[in-house]
Amino acid sequence: MGPRRTAHRNFAPLSPEFTHRTTMAPKGGERKPKVDLVSRDYTIHLGKRTHKQTFKRRAPRAISAIRAFAVQAMGTKDVRVDTKLNKHIWATGIRAPPCRVRVRLSRRRNEDEEADEKLYTLAQLVEVSSFKGLQTENVDA
């Protein structure tokens, strides 16, 4: 007689259908990009996304954090970072990207007809004097 399949020594043996892992569908499923073209201003807290990172990885990690934020917020995999935003992140060097940055995320149509996706997101810098009291705002583009 082989080993008994039990969840714990004090409980009854498990039935065979529960001994193998069951595969479940992902919670939200495949997220589709929204069709409407929209622009929103977000404040991204880069400090918490680059915290405890090696100095030589901070600015690159900040750029990839902006990309990841845009993918999650806009629902498009294609994210393009504007040169002004890139220069703003790198202005103080690789070690010290800004703690917060105000970003305008614009969902736009892809001009390239052979592209995999119909829409892309453009991330642009919005210069502000203070981040106090700012919230996400829809912008007429």
Side-chain angles (χ1 to χ4, degrees):
M1 188 170 156
R4 257 177 51 171
R5 290 186 176 151
T6 58
H8 189 267
R9 62 189 164 147
N10 295 335
F11 295 108
L14 292 174
S15 60
E17 65 259 12
F18 291 111
T19 55
H20 299 291
R21 259 197 168 161
T22 57
T23 57
M24 295 178 68
K27 188 176 179 183
E30 186 80 19
R31 185 181 256 192
K32 294 181 180 152
K34 320 283 191 294
V35 179
D36 59 334
L37 307 177
V38 68
S39 294
R40 291 190 202 107
D41 285 355
Y42 293 95
T43 300
I44 303 176
H45 188 187
L46 294 176
K48 71 179 183 183
R49 290 170 171 88
T50 59
H51 181 63
K52 289 196 172 180
Q53 286 298 317
T54 308
F55 277 154
K56 295 296 182 179
R57 287 192 196 145
R58 285 193 176 191
R61 189 61 60 100
I63 296 291
S64 61
I66 291 171
R67 285 183 191 276
F69 183 90
V71 166
Q72 191 254 335
M74 290 298 195
T76 63
K77 291 181 183 172
D78 186 6
V79 177
R80 302 173 192 180
V81 177
D82 190 42
T83 54
K84 285 184 182 177
L85 176 60
N86 192 43
K87 287 188 179 192
H88 179 74
I89 299 295
W90 283 88
T92 50
I94 197 168
R95 291 177 159 204
C99 291
R100 282 182 177 81
V101 67
R102 188 78 173 167
V103 174
R104 177 165 295 148
L105 298 180
S106 307
R107 194 182 303 127
R108 298 185 174 186
R109 282 199 207 291
N110 216 337
E111 306 286 322
D112 187 18
E113 294 172 4
E114 296 130 25
D116 294 337
E117 294 195 27
K118 294 176 184 172
L119 302 173
Y120 71 93
T121 302
L122 178 64
Q124 297 172 304
L125 176 68
V126 178
E127 294 188 13
V128 292
S129 57
S130 172
F131 293 100
K132 301 282 186 187
L134 291 177
Q135 293 185 338
T136 301
E137 297 175 351
N138 284 332
V139 180
D140 298 328

